[in-house]
Amino acid sequence: MLGKIWKAIVAWFLKWGSPKWFYEQSKIWSLISGVLATAMISGAFIYGVFYSPLETKGHASRIIFMHVPSASLSMSMYFAMAMMGLIALVWKMKMASVVLKATAQVGAGFSVVMFVTGAIWGQAAWGQGVIWDPRLISAAALILLYFGILALYYAIDSHNQADQSVAVLAICTVVIVFLIKFAVSFNDNEMASIHQSSSSLYSGDESAVDWHYLAPLLTAIFGFYLMGMSLVLRQARVEILVRNRTSKWGQTLFDKELNTVNKQEK
């Protein structure tokens, strides 16, 4: 029984390696995740901004509902890129390279949001928006790596060569995610970070974070992840059309999408 279930899961996973299957199936998943993300993020922001209690830093503390989710998502996306790169190199699954590129495009945007909102929070909390401590240096390096990967994609004409080069780069540089995560743990005076350590969600049987902050924060995090999923799927669909525009089914899909856009414009 378990063997049959496992084979069914593997077969379902392998279907996503087909560009045509991915394009057709990802449309509904992108729509569902986008709608859920919009609802969750909107609810979290409304409650977090207007109803959660003020902390010692005043209204500036409310930026946590954007900074924490964007930081978590930007790091997770880079880790996902490394995983896609490994799949592309080992199993030669072309769709993994497509998702890797789409993830880089979306993750780059969220990494900028992470850095900007972190600077705003730092200015309010410590009186310094940008200070080059380990956490901020590694976060800045993450942004540069995101845009470096995109630059490498567009610098190489061959899709296959670009996919292989970017896959290797993503795998070799994924250590930056762990540096960002644990940079606040340095105890050396010269390497210590002013960034506060991650708060424990639970202490004993009770939450260590006020529920009025914890509930909207968790909702925002889940919402951001769903939004990231929706955007990656949408971007991957565009990349599939670009890469398969010369194939028969790709040309048919491209013409169909073009006709849909023309009708909407009229």
Side-chain angles (χ1 to χ4, degrees), residues 223-251:
F224 266 67
Y225 271 78
L226 286 172
M227 182 60 71
M229 173 183 172
S230 178
L231 293 174
V232 167
L233 290 177
R234 288 175 181 272
Q235 196 60 41
R237 285 166 56 81
V238 174
E239 186 67 19
I240 289 172
L241 286 180
V242 172
R243 296 192 180 201
N244 297 274
R245 61 185 180 276
T246 58
S247 65
K248 185 177 180 180
W249 72 269
Q251 187 62 52

Side-chain angles (χ1 to χ4, degrees), residues 99-118:
V99 174
L100 196 163
K101 183 178 181 180
T103 304
Q105 292 170 322
V106 177
F110 281 108
S111 67
V112 173
V113 174
M114 169 193 68
F115 196 86
V116 173
T117 54

Side-chain angles (χ1 to χ4, degrees), residues 135 181 184 195-200:
R135 172 62 68 92
K181 177 64 177 177
V184 294
H195 191 290
Q196 67 192 59
S197 301
S198 300
S199 300
S200 300

Side-chain angles (χ1 to χ4, degrees), residues 143-160:
I143 298 175
L144 294 177
L145 285 172
Y146 266 121
F147 284 97
I149 282 178
L150 293 177
L152 183 59
Y153 259 122
Y154 296 114
I156 303 176
D157 294 330
S158 171
H159 281 307
N160 290 332

Side-chain angles (χ1 to χ4, degrees), residues 202-207:
Y202 293 96
S203 177
D205 296 330
E206 297 182 357
S207 173

